[in-house]
Amino acid sequence: RLFIRGEGMPEDEAEAAIWYRQAADKGNAEAQYRLGYSYQWGQGVTQNAGAAVQWYREAATQGHIQAQGALGELYILGQDVTQDYAAAMSWYRLAARQGDALSQARIGLMYQEGQGVPKSTAEALKWYSKAAEQGLAQAQLVLGMVYARGEGVAPDLAEAADWYHPAAAQGHVTAQIELASMYATGEGVQKDLVSAYMWANLAAAQGDEWARDFRQQLSEKMSPEQISEAERRALEMAPSE
């Protein structure tokens, strides 16, 4: 699955599907979307790609954001429908105009990759920025990488760090690793081994082996007091259970 869009589905899937169908037949867009999701993934009903597309479309034409995004995903992947970049872009745009960050990011990727549209770094950055400004961590990471690597723009490590930070703060491992490296070398940020250790520690806590090794390398250059401070900061940054 490209994106998971089934938040809030009831646990009793079969019974839920019955209620969704009744409401969907009466034109309820939310029920139509949820029924489409149920058919797409076989939750409470027999999996049926055609029915999924049908109900997604019913909801999407009423302006349902998640249904519009779901149709965009199906068309861009060629999943249950013939792959059609133009159709994908059309549905993504409808959702994106309503503020859907996932769809905004997908439009950015389509412009970056030239999927059904001419490649355009300017358009890609515009749409990634819209998604990133809404807090989508993956879009923030992509912007960081674009500026770090100078992909269609002048390299700007400081700008890259500015985008890595919010993604890393949300727990994105790659962004945490990038910041750990940047703080260790002073590229784009002021060199700070405590911050480097903190980000490496957070990534290591999520199981990243490179981060574990890098944390060990950093510890050999740090005092016990610095390590203690870095671990304290990492504990404050870690999500509460």
Side-chain angles (χ1 to χ4, degrees):
R1 306 179 191 182
L2 187 59
F3 297 118
I4 305 300
R5 293 178 178 266
E7 300 88 344
M9 290 302 217
E11 291 183 7
D12 190 339
E13 296 169 348
E15 183 178 356
I18 294 172
W19 287 105
Y20 293 155
R21 181 58 187 260
Q22 292 177 2
D25 284 338
K26 295 178 181 179
N28 183 282
E30 179 66 20
Q32 291 168 344
Y33 161 71
R34 290 177 178 268
L35 187 58
Y37 187 96
S38 296
Y39 275 115
Q40 183 180 3
W41 303 111
Q43 295 185 349
V45 293
T46 301
Q47 194 168 21
N48 185 322
V53 172
Q54 172 195 338
W55 287 111
Y56 278 150
R57 191 179 296 276
E58 292 283 346
T61 54
Q62 294 195 66
H64 194 284
I65 296 174
Q66 288 176 298
Q68 291 168 343
L71 282 172
E73 290 161 19
L74 292 180
Y75 278 110
I76 200 169
L77 293 174
Q79 181 181 327
D80 303 329
V81 294
T82 301
Q83 189 175 53
D84 185 335
Y85 288 139
M89 178 64 83
S90 178
W91 288 114
Y92 279 142
R93 282 191 183 278
L94 289 173
R97 287 170 185 161
Q98 296 191 73
D100 184 54
L102 291 174
S103 294
Q104 291 168 346
R106 287 301 293 167
I107 292 173
L109 179 60
M110 291 181 78
Y111 274 111
Q112 185 180 21
E113 300 293 330
Q115 295 176 322
V117 292
K119 281 189 177 184
S120 172
T121 298
E123 283 295 309
L125 288 177
K126 180 181 82 172
W127 287 102
Y128 280 139
S129 295
K130 286 178 182 290
E133 287 164 3
Q134 291 199 71
L136 187 66
Q138 185 63 30
Q140 293 165 342
L141 173 71
V142 170
L143 282 176
M145 290 183 164
V146 165
Y147 282 107
R149 298 171 181 173
E151 296 177 349
V153 296
D156 188 336
L157 291 176
E159 182 75 9
D162 285 344
W163 285 114
Y164 286 146
H165 272 104
Q170 292 186 68
H172 200 295
V173 173
T174 303
Q176 292 172 343
I177 290 171
E178 293 294 336
L179 285 176
S181 179
M182 293 176 81
Y183 275 109
T185 60
E187 295 182 339
V189 294
Q190 185 174 351
K191 187 175 181 178
D192 182 353
L193 295 184
V194 172
S195 292
Y197 187 103
M198 177 193 74
W199 289 118
N201 200 38
L202 287 166
Q206 297 191 65
D208 189 87
E209 294 183 5
W210 182 92
R212 287 198 198 100
D213 293 340
F214 192 59
R215 180 182 59 185
Q216 177 59 36
Q217 295 172 27
L218 290 169
S219 69
E220 295 170 0
K221 304 174 184 177
M222 299 168 65
S223 68
E225 292 76 18
Q226 287 177 311
I227 294 173
S228 179
E229 173 62 15
E231 291 176 343
R232 183 190 67 79
R233 292 186 194 176
L235 187 61
E236 289 180 351
M237 288 287 294
S240 56
E241 296 183 359

